[in-house]
């Protein structure tokens, strides 16, 4: 072979190939967005308000640097895709910096009332009313008369209408309601409680300690498993202010057990002129027995004649965090004299959401319009269809298996212990379950599931149709990322 000019030696051959490669690489690297470009994308815009600009900048730089490296390592992306991936990664890094920054999450834990996840999600109407109330509102004014009225008069009326009680009061939560009632009506006097009902609700709420804090004296009667009406009667003295029944909301007793019904306690109370307080907690309004769920209802307690019934706003009532007291006007109105009432009072946003929730209960459409009740009574086959749709849309790397399986959802939040709510979920096997749950938590919105026998399980009973797209997207991303990380 003859050469015109230089005969290319191995060195220059190599140089040429390298030059071409460098040119290709430079071309590829040009697809990387500038920091400013990433910062300008809409999905990052909102983040700046809660996390410092410096942190946003650092996360953006890190994400761009990571993708620069991936391109140098030979991965190919289109300009649009790389921007999208960098934005996603920046968001993920940001949410990992401050895992406490309050944000919407996808609850696939299988627990409907998850206290760590804010218990009941609010109805659309409640959200709308809260937004309206963010402005100036007549929270303590009657617009017809121009006079001051009780804070939350509207909610009070609705609660009376709904429960059949003469009067109602709203405070911060059911714990506050209990302390307020005990302090206002029984400070320095005795309240009789069965030994089988001295509960701990969680988060430091233990009934004997609640009594100490209120100044009322706890008078225990009966035994852990059996208490009779005559136990209450024998304990009554001139120091007795009330009898209190506490709903065992987070555990159940079986076997050799006995305790009087509320009606028996009410009859005793009437006979001896002693008030009966019913701490229901869960706040179930509708009879849910046709769904296999048995829980005492607020209406049942009021009808049985309890002088005061206490329950949470954010458990089965399906509304905002609140403590609701309904009962006889004589006793409920007395609560307004307590300085604790002022300390425990709720804000206008809570009242707005509570009013809307009560209206929905009154409308007859609660099982449809209150997200909590809709999800609780959702047909298992409907959950299965959602699981199958998500499953079909997922793209998973080789070696990882995703299957649709049946499971049991829990009511949670100290309601209906042991209730069996049949549901369906996705089981993801073949990868590090700890790592995958962590990656899922760092998505936006975060996806929360549980680990079961080395697999990640996502119960979709509490996932709405509106969250489906995000779930598919984030689950796909997290699976791929976790898989890559293990491979690295
Ligand atoms: C949940 C519960 C409480 C506490 O209610 P919060 O609204 O969380 O303060 C009190 N008593 C009973 C019986 C409960 O179930």
């Amino acid at each position: 072979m003859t050469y015109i000019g230089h005969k290319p030696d191995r060195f220059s051959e190599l140089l040429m190939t390298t030059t071409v490669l460098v040119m290709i690489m430079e071309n590829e690297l040009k697809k990387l967005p500038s920091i400013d470009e990433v910062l300008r994308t809409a999905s990052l815009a909102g983040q700046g308000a809660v996390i410092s600009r410096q942190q946003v900048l650092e996360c953006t730089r890190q994400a761009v640097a990571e993708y620069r490296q991936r391109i140098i390592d030979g991965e190919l992306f289109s300009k649009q895709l790389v921007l999208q991936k960098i934005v996603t990664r920046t968001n993920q890094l940001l949410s990992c910096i401050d895992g406490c920054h309050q944000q919407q999450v996808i609850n696939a834990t299988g627990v409907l009332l998850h206290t760590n996840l804010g218990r009941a999600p609010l109805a659309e109407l409640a959200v709308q009313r809260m937004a309206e109330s963010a402005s100036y509102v007549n929270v303590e004014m009657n617009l017809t008369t121009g006079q001051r009225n009780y804070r939350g008069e509207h909610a009070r009326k609705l609660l009376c209408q709904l429960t059949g009680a003469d009067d109602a009061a709203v405070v911060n939560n059911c714990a506050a309601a209990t302390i307020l009632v005990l302090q206002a009506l029984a400070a320095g006097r005795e309240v009789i409680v069965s030994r089988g009902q001295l509960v701990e609700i969680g988060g430091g709420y233990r009934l004997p300690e609640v009594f100490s804090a209120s100044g009322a004296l706890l008078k225990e009667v009966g035994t852990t498993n059996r208490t009779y009406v005559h136990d209450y009667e024998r304990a009554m003295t001139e120091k007795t202010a009330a009898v209190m029944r506490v709903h065992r909301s987070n555990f159940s007793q079986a076997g050799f057990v006995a305790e009087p019904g509320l009606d028996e306690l009410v009859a005793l109370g009437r006979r001896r002129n002693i008030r009966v307080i019913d701490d229901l907690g869960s706040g179930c309004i509708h009879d849910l027995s046709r769904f296999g769920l048995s829980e005492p209802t607020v209406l049942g307690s009021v009808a049985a004649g309890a002088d005061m019934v206490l329950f949470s706003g954010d458990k089965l009532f399906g509304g905002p965090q609140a403590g609701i007291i309904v009962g006889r006007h004589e006793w409920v109105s007395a609560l307004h004299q307590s300085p604790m009432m002022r300390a425990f009072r709720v804000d206008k946003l809570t009242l707005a959401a509570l009013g809307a929730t009560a209206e929905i209960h009154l409308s007859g459409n609660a099982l449809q319009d209150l997200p909590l009740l809709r999800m609780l009574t959702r047909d298992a086959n409907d959950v299965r269809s959602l699981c199958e749709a998500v499953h079909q849309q997922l793209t998973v790397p080789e070696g990882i298996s995703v299957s649709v399986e049946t499971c049991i959802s829990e009511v949670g939040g100290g309601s209906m212990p042991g209730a069996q709510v049949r549901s369906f979920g996705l089981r993801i096997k073949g990868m590090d379950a700890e790592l995958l749950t962590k990656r899922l938590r760092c998505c936006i919105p975060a996806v929360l599931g549980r680990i079961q026998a080395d697999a990640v399980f996502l119960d979709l009973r509490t996932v709405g149709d509106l969250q489906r797209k995000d779930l598919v997207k984030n689950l796909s991303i997290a699976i791929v990322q976790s898989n890559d990380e293990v491979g690295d």
Side-chain angles (χ1 to χ4, degrees):
M1 202 182 250
T2 51
Y3 287 95
I4 301 163
H6 290 296
K7 170 177 181 269
D9 53 24
R10 291 189 58 203
F11 174 72
S12 51
E13 231 175 87
L14 198 66
L15 192 66
M16 240 163 69
T17 329
T18 313
T19 313
V20 172
L21 278 179
V22 166
M23 275 165 61
I24 292 173
M25 180 73 68
E26 271 174 359
N27 234 12
E28 286 303 311
L29 286 174
K30 275 195 198 129
K31 292 180 185 166
L32 278 172
S34 69
I35 301 283
D36 269 345
E37 246 175 293
V38 182
L39 290 173
R40 272 200 307 272
T41 59
S43 55
L44 274 181
Q47 296 268 14
V50 271
I51 297 175
S52 79
R53 192 171 156 78
Q54 186 57 33
Q55 284 173 318
V56 177
L57 203 61
E58 277 168 22
C59 291
T60 310
R61 284 201 184 112
Q62 186 185 326
V64 173
E66 282 177 16
Y67 276 86
R68 168 179 295 276
Q69 191 56 47
R70 287 174 78 151
I71 291 172
I72 291 170
D73 290 344
E75 280 188 66
L76 296 174
F77 301 97
S78 72
K79 199 170 157 59
Q80 198 195 351
L81 182 68
V82 78
L83 173 63
Q84 194 188 322
K85 282 191 172 276
I86 286 173
V87 169
T88 306
R89 180 63 182 148
T90 308
N91 273 321
Q92 201 176 61
L93 290 167
L94 281 169
S95 65
C96 287
I97 281 187
D98 180 4
C100 314
H101 143 222
Q102 194 163 302
Q103 54 190 289
Q104 207 182 103
V105 303
I106 295 177
N107 175 12
T109 60
V111 181
L112 283 122
L113 290 171
H114 200 302
T115 300
N116 302 157
L117 302 182
R119 291 195 183 155
L122 295 178
E124 229 169 277
L125 183 67
V127 174
Q128 197 185 316
R129 293 281 174 76
M130 281 175 92
E132 285 166 16
S133 289
S135 184
Y136 287 121
V137 281
N138 58 322
V139 68
E140 284 185 22
M141 185 189 279
N142 178 324
L143 292 178
T144 312
T145 63
Q147 305 288 308
R148 182 173 182 179
N149 64 358
Y150 272 145
R151 172 170 283 249
E153 181 60 18
H154 180 61
R156 190 187 71 79
K157 284 189 179 140
L158 290 169
L159 288 166
C160 290
Q161 212 181 323
L162 179 62
T163 62
D166 298 343
D167 204 353
V170 181
V171 290
N172 253 316
N173 49 33
C174 194
T178 313
I179 295 189
L180 171 68
V181 165
L182 291 174
Q183 188 273 333
L185 306 179
R189 300 175 69 202
E190 292 176 354
V191 175
I192 308 172
V193 185
S194 158
R195 289 199 169 89
Q197 298 175 358
L198 292 176
V199 301
E200 170 173 326
I201 305 289
Y205 183 95
R206 311 177 90 193
L207 209 59
E209 287 160 25
V210 172
F211 267 82
S212 309
S214 74
L217 307 169
L218 169 62
K219 178 96 177 184
E220 303 176 24
V221 294
T223 60
T224 305
N225 57 328
R226 291 176 83 89
T227 305
Y228 306 95
V229 180
H230 63 247
D231 290 327
Y232 288 90
E233 184 150 26
R234 278 182 206 147
M236 287 177 175
T237 66
E238 71 287 354
K239 284 206 288 185
T240 307
V243 162
M244 183 156 95
R245 181 182 82 147
V246 184
H247 179 46
R248 274 193 287 272
S249 25
N250 52 8
F251 74 108
S252 49
Q253 278 192 332
F256 190 56
V257 293
E259 62 183 22
L262 185 60
D263 49 345
E264 293 173 79
L265 293 180
V266 168
L268 171 66
R270 293 272 157 84
R271 194 147 46 76
R272 301 289 300 261
N273 199 21
I274 299 279
R275 275 157 289 189
V276 176
I277 302 163
D278 190 23
D279 178 9
L280 261 187
S282 54
C284 187
I285 298 292
H286 309 279
D287 177 9
L288 299 174
S289 53
R290 69 192 147 109
F291 301 99
L293 302 164
S294 71
E295 186 75 356
T297 64
V298 177
L299 283 67
S301 293
V302 172
D307 293 294
M308 270 189 272
V309 183
L310 322 182
F311 60 97
S312 301
D314 55 356
K315 291 184 182 172
L316 292 173
F317 191 75
Q321 179 192 303
I324 301 166
I325 304 159
V326 297
R328 303 243 309 270
H329 174 67
E330 188 186 356
W331 309 122
V332 177
S333 60
L335 300 176
H336 292 281
Q337 313 308 318
S338 165
M340 282 201 184
M341 186 70 182
R342 174 65 175 77
F344 291 154
R345 81 175 186 192
V346 289
D347 76 317
K348 57 182 181 173
L349 302 181
T350 300
L351 287 167
L354 196 68
T357 309
E359 279 175 40
I360 294 172
H361 280 297
L362 282 165
S363 74
N365 294 327
L367 299 194
Q368 208 36 55
D369 295 346
L370 287 179
L372 178 84
L373 295 182
R374 185 170 62 233
M375 295 186 298
L376 181 62
T377 60
R378 188 176 181 187
D379 192 90
N381 287 321
D382 180 44
V383 185
R384 175 195 252 160
S385 307
L386 175 63
C387 291
E388 280 161 359
V390 171
H391 187 210
Q392 262 171 22
Q393 290 170 341
L394 279 180
T395 35
V396 290
E398 230 174 282
I400 289 159
S401 87
V402 179
S403 52
V404 175
E405 289 178 28
T406 185
C407 63
I408 301 288
S409 308
E410 236 183 274
V411 181
S415 305
M416 303 191 187
Q420 303 270 305
V421 186
R422 201 169 73 89
S423 185
F424 281 91
L426 297 169
R427 184 183 299 284
I428 303 135
K429 274 187 296 203
M431 60 196 315
D432 182 337
E434 286 286 348
L435 186 61
L436 178 57
T437 49
K438 176 160 188 254
R439 280 282 146 258
L440 286 168
R441 284 199 307 274
C442 286
C443 290
I444 292 184
V447 179
L448 302 171
R450 57 178 194 253
I451 297 179
Q452 243 178 14
D454 286 341
V456 172
F457 197 90
L458 303 177
D459 179 342
L460 300 199
R461 170 168 293 280
T462 42
V463 177
D465 279 334
L466 292 177
Q467 290 186 315
R468 182 172 110 183
K469 245 175 85 185
D470 278 335
L471 176 67
V472 171
K473 187 185 78 186
N474 291 349
L475 186 54
S476 302
I477 293 173
I479 288 177
V480 169
Q481 274 178 347
S482 313
N483 204 42
D484 285 356
E485 267 175 62
V486 172
D488 285 350

